[in-house]
Amino acid sequence: MTLFSSAGCGGAALPDVSRRRFVQGLAQGLGLSVGLSVAGRASAATATSPRASHAPQMLTGPDLALDIGATRVNFTGRDRPAITVNGGLPGPTLRWRQGDTVTVRVTNRLPGHVQTSLHWHGIQLPANMDGVPGMSFDGIYPGQAYLYRFHLRQAGTYWYHSHSLHQEQAGLYGAIIVDPVAPAPYRYDREHVVVLSDWTDLDPAALYSRLKKMPSYDNMFRRTVGDFLSDIRNYGWDATVADRKMWGGMRMTPTDLSDVNGLTYTYLMNGHTPAANWEAGFRQGERVLLRLINAANMSYFDFRIPGLKLTVVAADGQYVHPVTVDELRIGVAETYDVIVEPVGQDAFTLFAQDIGRTGFACGTLTSRPGLRAEVPPLDPRPILAMKDMGMDHAAHGKRDRYAGFVAERRDAPVLKGPVSHPRTERNSTYVDMQAMVAQPRLSDPGVGLRDRETKVLSYADLHSLDGDPDGRDPGRTIELHLTGNMERFAWAFDGVPFMDARPLRFNYGERLRVVLVNDTMMHHPVHLHGMWSDLEDDHGAFQVRKHTVDIAPGSRRSCRVTADALGRWAYHCHLLYHMDGGMMREVVVEEAGR
């Protein structure tokens, strides 16, 4: 039976589903995903394989229908179950026009009792269209459909993905392009969408379970006795021993750059492994627009095209003052639009290596089908330093780390210097380290990229083309700390996991500042649903509009938010196993005085 939700069609009042239901759904899914694996095999005889063409299918027009189903795929030599949209992985690219009102009927054709959903990442829309089960709606159950309907107020490059269980890890994602009403402020001759992702043959729920039991499973490149002796020769006995003591005291290793890496993942470009070589065409002299989307579950990528410059013209769908670089880091859920001008060669390699240098996705920009350029080797594996995590051991223990912390304040925040911590972090099992001295570090391209002789994009290079769309100064500031316990693979805001946290409350219409302090040694791409996060510069002034903001380890970055969307919204780390582990909050935007 096909069921259209009345809330979906008409924007009726939302059922008051609880945050607990969201987590219950997650726990339920841990078992159900195993069922999907079995059921997927049963249905494989009738399922279609992912499209063999070199680009995802493109769907255009304001009225679309998407079927979410189970499909067998083979990226590694083993036939494995996946979740697809209209039989594709990635799902079809959806192409709309700014100013249109679109309707999308999403039907759940998954086997078993598996709920699904689609979230339109970065699109500003009513809360009941946002696609987060437990907040926006109840989710879509087998045999049912949900009719999404929303008006497109913006243009740019975005993407969609499931917000149910671990379905994004299993392949449920795709690109969105919203063409502008007015001409873009740059010229190009052709374009290509480049969707980066990470695939595992493991059941996604089994991978999460492994992270809970053995969070360092993929951290196979720890420093050895040989490294210890080498450090003694280079830095002396005292400094080397002190370094090892500090890392040992934190029960961490400086090689722990990502929770899951190329030892588990196969990295994909538009659903193609490096060996399958996704191809994008060009003619000499053309200006080619590449719409880069990081749709990975847990992987940051460093992207470059050897022999070509990248001119960044948009970030997270919003125009920026053009900046030309040789390489950029794209965090999970971020998008960048770049223009390249290929000349002098018939083929160029699109190269995206993971942050830990354990694997890569790649494709070829080619003037003729079948050509390949040289694929560069992986860079040397980077090593984290204490300064990467905002550690200042000279100050450690000399003051009360919790003194002076004010979660909400009316005066401007201090974005540099010593950090105070919320008292909820004290004795929390969701906190195993704390930043002592945190700064925005917007000009820092990040570990592994600092020693480049070529230009690497940093957040300091990004400036919105049209300035601050709101113009008001924030009326208040909320500070949140990103915390975690690596050994437990447990994550939270302020040491409080999602299940135990109260919602953040924004007053409808207000302009406020949110300061995010990263108390962990991992990057966290933080995404606020329904509203923009306007990243501030080192002095607290508006800099660039984004929907997902990377908070580097040990950094403190601030965003302005205009609370212009009533309802319940998710606010979370977009490393989805971190979100599942508790690094999530609910934001409620309501009329003042309620």
Side-chain angles (χ1 to χ4, degrees):
M1 179 181 72
T2 300
L3 174 67
F4 293 93
S5 164
S6 58
C9 294
L14 279 174
D16 187 20
V17 287
S18 68
R19 289 174 291 126
R20 184 173 299 277
R21 179 178 295 184
F22 174 88
V23 179
Q24 286 173 336
L26 173 61
Q28 189 181 37
L30 296 181
L32 289 175
S33 65
V34 177
L36 173 62
S37 300
V38 176
R41 289 191 183 92
S43 61
T46 56
T48 58
S49 296
R51 292 166 54 81
S53 65
H54 272 194
Q57 178 189 19
M58 182 171 290
L59 300 179
T60 61
D63 300 304
L64 300 177
L66 301 178
D67 287 350
I68 296 174
T71 304
R72 306 293 291 181
V73 299
N74 187 333
F75 292 118
T76 63
R78 295 200 304 166
D79 201 29
R80 303 298 299 164
I83 299 178
T84 56
V85 183
N86 291 5
L89 190 167
T93 297
L94 311 182
R95 186 147 206 158
W96 292 321
R97 184 169 179 79
Q98 184 182 17
D100 283 352
T101 296
V102 299
T103 58
V104 187
R105 187 186 65 180
V106 178
T107 303
N108 182 350
R109 302 194 185 282
L110 292 169
H113 192 65
V114 180
Q115 175 218 85
T116 192
S117 60
L118 283 185
H119 164 62
W120 318 96
H121 192 104
I123 301 292
Q124 309 297 295
L125 37 61
N128 60 340
M129 296 291 109
D130 197 43
V132 180
M135 286 188 192
S136 312
F137 69 150
D138 286 337
I140 311 169
Y141 285 86
Q144 297 183 349
Y146 192 81
L147 191 65
Y148 292 88
R149 187 173 189 271
F150 46 88
H151 182 70
L152 294 166
R153 295 178 284 164
Q154 62 205 89
T157 303
Y158 304 94
W159 64 297
Y160 61 91
H161 60 84
S162 173
H163 226 287
S164 299
L165 316 176
H166 304 292
Q167 294 175 357
E168 183 189 323
Q169 178 72 93
L172 213 176
Y173 52 83
I176 297 173
I177 301 171
V178 183
D179 290 315
V181 172
Y186 48 82
R187 180 184 64 79
Y188 61 96
D189 301 299
R190 72 168 72 196
E191 67 174 19
H192 298 289
V193 177
V194 181
V195 178
L196 304 170
S197 61
D198 46 22
W199 167 263
T200 174
D201 278 353
L202 295 173
D203 183 310
L207 176 54
Y208 181 65
S209 179
R210 191 184 81 182
L211 283 166
K212 295 293 288 184
K213 296 173 182 174
M214 297 179 287
S216 298
Y217 187 92
D218 273 0
N219 185 13
M220 299 292 289
F221 305 107
R222 304 183 190 203
R223 289 191 290 182
T224 64
V225 173
D227 295 322
F228 180 70
L229 296 175
S230 176
D231 285 353
I232 291 175
R233 286 194 296 271
N234 292 327
Y235 308 112
W237 171 266
D238 291 344
T240 301
V241 170
D243 176 77
R244 297 305 195 270
K245 281 185 175 179
M246 283 189 288
W247 284 105
M250 296 189 297
R251 291 175 290 182
M252 300 172 186
T253 69
T255 56
D256 202 359
L257 289 157
S258 52
D259 298 304
V260 191
N261 60 33
L263 297 178
T264 295
Y265 281 144
T266 298
Y267 298 120
L268 305 178
M269 181 174 290
N270 283 342
H272 291 66
T273 65
N277 188 37
W278 175 73
E279 294 182 357
F282 78 92
R283 292 177 180 170
Q284 297 285 336
E286 285 186 329
R287 289 168 59 88
V288 181
L289 174 66
L290 301 178
R291 299 179 182 269
L292 308 178
I293 300 170
N294 187 349
N297 201 59
M298 294 289 287
S299 305
Y300 277 55
F301 293 102
D302 294 337
F303 179 85
R304 69 179 191 268
I305 306 176
L308 294 182
K309 299 285 187 182
L310 313 172
T311 299
V312 180
V313 294
D316 288 0
Q318 302 297 293
Y319 299 135
V320 296
H321 288 279
V323 55
T324 299
V325 300
D326 296 278
E327 189 170 7
L328 60 84
R329 174 164 291 170
I330 181 168
V332 172
E334 290 185 314
T335 75
Y336 286 109
D337 291 1
V338 303
I339 290 178
V340 298
E341 299 180 67
V343 293
Q345 296 178 204
D346 288 326
F348 298 85
T349 296
L350 284 66
F351 185 69
Q353 60 183 335
D354 76 318
I355 191 172
R357 313 305 189 230
T358 61
F360 60 89
C362 74
T364 302
L365 188 62
T366 177
S367 59
R368 297 194 306 276
L371 297 180
R372 292 201 73 167
E374 181 181 356
V375 178
L378 291 170
D379 292 338
R381 286 188 293 275
I383 299 290
L384 288 168
M386 287 293 163
K387 63 181 180 182
D388 286 313
M389 294 171 289
M391 303 300 291
D392 180 3
H393 287 269
H396 191 80
K398 293 183 178 179
R399 64 184 184 85
D400 182 355
R401 288 170 288 169
Y402 305 96
F405 178 81
V406 180
E408 180 174 334
R409 55 196 304 162
R410 296 285 171 182
D411 56 333
V414 177
L415 296 177
K416 298 180 180 179
V419 177
S420 295
H421 295 272
R423 295 192 180 279
T424 50
E425 286 191 14
R426 191 196 297 267
N427 300 322
S428 170
T429 56
Y430 290 78
V431 180
D432 63 4
M433 65 169 285
Q434 293 173 318
M436 295 294 106
V437 179
Q439 299 181 5
R441 294 184 11 226
L442 298 175
S443 60
D444 180 6
V447 63
L449 295 176
R450 299 183 186 120
D451 57 350
R452 291 281 197 267
E453 295 181 354
T454 54
K455 171 68 175 175
V456 181
L457 183 75
S458 70
Y459 270 4
D461 297 316
L462 298 173
H463 298 271
S464 287
L465 194 61
D466 296 325
D468 184 354
D470 188 304
R472 293 176 293 168
D473 289 329
R476 62 179 176 128
T477 295
I478 294 174
E479 183 168 314
L480 295 169
H481 287 236
L482 309 173
T483 61
N485 185 317
M486 302 282 283
E487 287 195 328
R488 296 171 180 262
F489 199 75
W491 306 94
F493 282 108
D494 290 348
V496 182
F498 174 68
M499 270 294 295
D500 300 328
R502 295 179 178 177
L504 298 169
R505 297 193 177 277
F506 295 175
N507 297 319
Y508 180 66
E510 73 170 330
R511 181 76 156 164
L512 71 158
R513 173 183 288 113
V514 178
V515 177
L516 295 168
V517 180
N518 188 345
D519 280 335
T520 79
M521 62 186 296
M522 292 285 174
H523 284 264
H524 298 291
V526 179
H527 173 46
L528 173 61
H529 288 224
M531 291 156 278
W532 293 105
S533 294
D534 294 336
L535 182 67
E536 295 183 321
D537 65 16
D538 290 353
H539 307 289
F542 172 87
Q543 182 176 315
V544 62
R545 169 156 282 191
K546 293 181 80 0
H547 55 57
T548 305
V549 179
D550 172 46
I551 309 298
S555 71
R556 174 164 44 188
R557 293 175 175 174
S558 63
C559 300
R560 299 178 174 204
V561 176
T562 298
D564 56 359
L566 289 166
R568 303 171 63 192
W569 303 97
Y571 195 23
H572 62 91
C573 174
H574 220 282
L575 297 179
L576 294 182
Y577 289 134
H578 288 186
M579 181 188 75
D580 297 343
M583 191 175 280
M584 179 169 173
R585 283 287 179 94
E586 178 181 349
V587 170
V588 177
V589 180
E590 56 192 2
E591 299 280 3
R594 289 191 62 181

